[in-house]
Amino acid sequence: KNVQTVVSHTTRPMRKGEIEGKSYYFISDEKFCEMNKNKAFVEMRHYNVITDDSPQGCGVWYYGLAQEELENKLDKGHVIVVLDLQGYKELRKYYYDHEELFKKTRLVSFYIDIDEEIRFKRYIQRDEITLANVKEGLRRMEADDRDFYGVEKYVHQHIKFKDDANMDTSSEQIKNYIVELLELKKEM
């Protein structure tokens, strides 16, 4: 079986270099609300953001992991899901609440801890540098500190990126760890 990435839905604007259906499914606020009303999401989050995209200079971006996307990808093999801590907790609850899912797969979590300076630089380099983007980057740094507080007790593997140079090495560590887990599963 192969490993696939589960793609989340979001209402935020697409950034340069992102691809519809690969980076995210980019949808309208109305479509997101409709999906949420129909209980389509396994987990969902919203973020109050600072943005140049609205006259008020702020907005709300929604993110959600659709049950259909998750289950379709699981039927084809192993999956990787990228979530924040709250999203992981919601996915874990969903996982343990669905016995058939619990029986056919194993839930393993990684926390990829990237140095603050690297995170901020990478965030700023995503888009044109504007005052709103800098403010949003700083807001996200503070929010990440709150959102990921205590994450260590929920993860199987904690990987720390201290600088750009060790990111490739750490990425290889993650891949090797996943391969080891898949090999162990075959033996069970």
Side-chain angles (χ1 to χ4, degrees), residues 24-25 34 36 49 59 94 104 113 159 162 168-169 181 184:
Y24 287 97
Y25 295 110
E34 177 187 324
N36 187 42
V49 297
Y94 176 83
K104 77 175 176 182
D113 187 0
I159 297 160
K162 295 180 180 145
D168 289 337
T169 303
L181 288 172
L184 284 173

Side-chain angles (χ1 to χ4, degrees), residues 109-113 151-152 155-160 173:
S109 57
F110 293 89
Y111 173 56
I112 301 173
D113 187 0
V151 69
E152 293 82 9
V155 298
H156 294 92
Q157 188 77 5
H158 182 170
I159 297 160
K160 176 90 174 155
Q173 288 174 332

Side-chain angles (χ1 to χ4, degrees), residues 38-68:
N38 292 327
K39 301 193 182 323
F41 296 116
V42 170
E43 68 83 32
M44 68 163 261
R45 295 280 285 150
H46 75 277
Y47 298 95
N48 297 312
V49 297
I50 300 168
T51 177
D52 288 326
D53 295 334
S54 76
Q56 299 83 12
C58 60
V60 178
W61 293 344
Y62 294 93
Y63 293 80
L65 178 65
Q67 178 178 345
E68 182 179 8

Side-chain angles (χ1 to χ4, degrees), residues 87-127:
Y88 171 72
K89 288 177 182 178
E90 291 175 24
L91 176 62
R92 192 172 76 166
K93 180 181 179 334
Y94 176 83
Y95 174 77
Y96 287 116
D97 286 350
H98 291 77
E99 190 174 330
E100 71 284 355
L101 184 61
F102 183 74
K103 286 181 179 178
K104 77 175 176 182
T105 190
R106 181 174 171 201
L107 187 61
V108 178
S109 57
F110 293 89
Y111 173 56
I112 301 173
D113 187 0
I114 301 174
D115 179 80
E116 279 187 351
E117 193 171 316
I118 294 171
R119 276 190 297 145
F120 185 73
K121 284 179 183 175
R122 287 176 169 230
Y123 181 81
I124 293 302
Q125 292 170 353
R126 287 180 181 168
D127 288 313

